[in-house]
């Protein structure tokens, strides 16, 4: 991937439109706005951050965080994604003495998990015959996991479930693109889209998306999305072959 910057895009636009350098600031402002729009759906900047969690299982969000793609735990060279858990409370407990945040105490070690003195595995022996075969009659078993996370944008942090205290998580997220300037690195394929947006915003139809200038920008945006698509012929063939299953017939 070849990268350029907004300074080159703006200067090239001035040369192509035969305009003096006095219009550079206006072109740079419109091009920065264009990058903010493109990073929402087309020219997404995906970053990865290794975040440490504190004693309460909380981690601070990166400064340029816009939307999370996944929160993972590193297992060797593999990232295992965790599900979102909406039941996690956004409220935090304070130590009345020190004023620091403290974790919720579930008192799991004090809970009695027996059934009339028998452990929870007693029903397994109840549902087998004399040969050790399972006889059924177990209902309501569920799957899934209670481990997960919740994004708290208002507090600029991630709250993890129990078990992630003083550990590390990997956050895959989309950057907001709000910090674009003349030195911001942009894919060279976005040049025509940026210049089309500058032309649209300098026209009398800057607020009309159905104007010829607005439609030109959106056509260039669709073209950019096509150019950025990484799928190739080999990828399509591999997807089709991977989705095909064969059955042995007797």
């Amino acid at each position: 991937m070849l990268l350029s910057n907004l300074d080159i895009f703006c200067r090239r636009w001035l040369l192509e439109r035969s305009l003096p350098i006095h219009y550079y600031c206006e072109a740079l402002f419109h091009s920065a706005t264009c990058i903010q729009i493109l990073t929402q759906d087309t020219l997404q900047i995906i970053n990865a951050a290794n975040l440490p969690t504190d004693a309460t299982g909380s981690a601070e969000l990166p400064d340029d965080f816009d939307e999370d793609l996944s929160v993972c735990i590193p297992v060797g060279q593999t990232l295992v994604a965790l599900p979102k858990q909406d039941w996690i409370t956004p409220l935090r407990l304070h130590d009345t003495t020190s004023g620091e945040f403290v974790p919720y105490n579930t008192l799991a070690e004090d809970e009695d998990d027996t059934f009339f003195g028998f452990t929870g595995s007693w029903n397994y022996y109840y549902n087998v015959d004399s040969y050790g075969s399972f006889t059924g009659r177990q209902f309501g078993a569920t799957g899934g996991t209670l481990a997960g996370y919740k994004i708290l944008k208002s507090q600029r942090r991630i709250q993890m479930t129990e078990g992630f205290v003083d550990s590390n998580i990997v956050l895959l997220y989309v950057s907001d693109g709000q910090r674009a300037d003349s030195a911001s690195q942009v894919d060279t394929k976005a040049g025509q889209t940026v210049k089309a947006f500058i032309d649209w915003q300098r026209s009398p139809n800057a607020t009309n998306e159905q104007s010829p200038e607005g439609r030109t920008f959106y056509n260039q945006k669709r073209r950019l999305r096509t150019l950025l698509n990484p799928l190739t012929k080999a990828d399509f063939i591999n997807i089709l072959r991977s989705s095909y299953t064969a059955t042995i017939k007797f």
Side-chain angles (χ1 to χ4, degrees):
M1 181 178 64
L2 297 178
L3 297 176
S4 184
N5 54 48
L6 298 184
D7 178 70
I8 296 177
F9 289 162
C10 294
R11 293 180 182 273
R12 188 175 182 85
W13 176 83
L14 293 175
L15 291 174
E16 292 176 355
R17 303 301 186 271
S18 301
L19 294 175
I21 196 65
H22 305 83
Y23 293 90
Y24 176 82
C25 291
E26 181 182 2
L28 181 60
F29 174 77
H30 293 319
S31 61
T33 305
C34 179
I35 295 301
Q36 296 175 12
I37 296 175
L38 293 180
T39 52
Q40 296 176 4
D41 54 3
T42 304
L43 198 64
Q44 290 186 342
I45 303 175
I46 299 177
N47 294 334
N50 189 10
L51 305 178
T53 59
D54 57 17
T56 63
S58 178
E60 295 184 359
L61 291 173
D63 294 336
D64 58 342
F65 175 85
D66 180 60
E67 182 180 358
D68 63 297
L69 297 179
S70 62
V71 173
C72 311
I73 53 175
V75 180
Q77 293 184 341
T78 305
L79 294 178
V80 180
L82 297 173
K84 293 183 179 179
Q85 304 292 359
D86 294 332
W87 50 264
I88 298 178
T89 175
L91 302 178
R92 310 183 73 178
L93 297 180
H94 292 80
D95 190 326
T96 56
T97 303
S98 63
E100 297 180 352
F101 293 115
V102 294
Y104 281 88
N105 186 8
T106 58
L107 300 179
E109 64 276 6
D110 297 334
E111 293 180 357
D112 185 9
D113 57 353
T114 61
F115 181 78
F116 291 105
F118 295 95
T119 60
S121 60
W122 67 272
N123 56 0
Y124 172 79
Y125 301 97
Y126 175 77
N127 291 330
V128 295
D129 57 17
S130 58
Y131 296 97
S133 300
F134 182 63
T135 59
R137 299 190 301 276
Q138 281 190 342
F139 309 100
T142 59
T145 177
L146 294 178
Y149 70 99
K150 184 176 183 178
I151 300 292
L152 303 172
K153 286 189 176 182
S154 59
Q155 304 178 17
R156 301 294 302 175
R157 66 183 183 91
I158 305 175
Q159 181 62 52
M160 307 297 298
T161 54
E162 298 179 4
F164 297 96
V165 176
D166 294 328
S167 61
N168 286 78
I169 58 174
V170 176
L171 172 65
L172 301 179
Y173 66 98
V174 179
S175 176
D176 57 7
Q178 299 295 321
R179 291 158 182 83
D181 53 23
S182 61
S184 297
Q185 298 293 310
V186 184
D187 196 321
T188 54
K189 300 183 182 68
Q192 294 298 326
T193 307
V194 173
K195 288 184 283 188
F197 184 82
I198 297 175
D199 290 334
W200 177 28
Q201 294 303 304
R202 293 192 71 252
S203 69
N205 302 315
T207 58
N208 186 5
E209 295 184 354
Q210 303 301 324
S211 62
E213 297 84 359
R215 296 178 67 89
T216 301
F217 164 71
Y218 285 106
N219 288 335
Q220 290 293 340
K221 183 179 178 182
R222 283 192 290 268
R223 179 176 176 271
L224 173 62
R225 189 175 300 177
T226 303
L227 294 175
L228 295 176
N229 195 332
L231 290 179
T232 62
K233 179 181 177 181
D235 296 330
F236 280 110
I237 295 176
N238 185 56
I239 292 173
L240 292 176
R241 290 176 177 175
S242 301
S243 302
Y244 176 78
T245 56
T247 303
I248 301 176
K249 297 182 179 180
F250 297 96

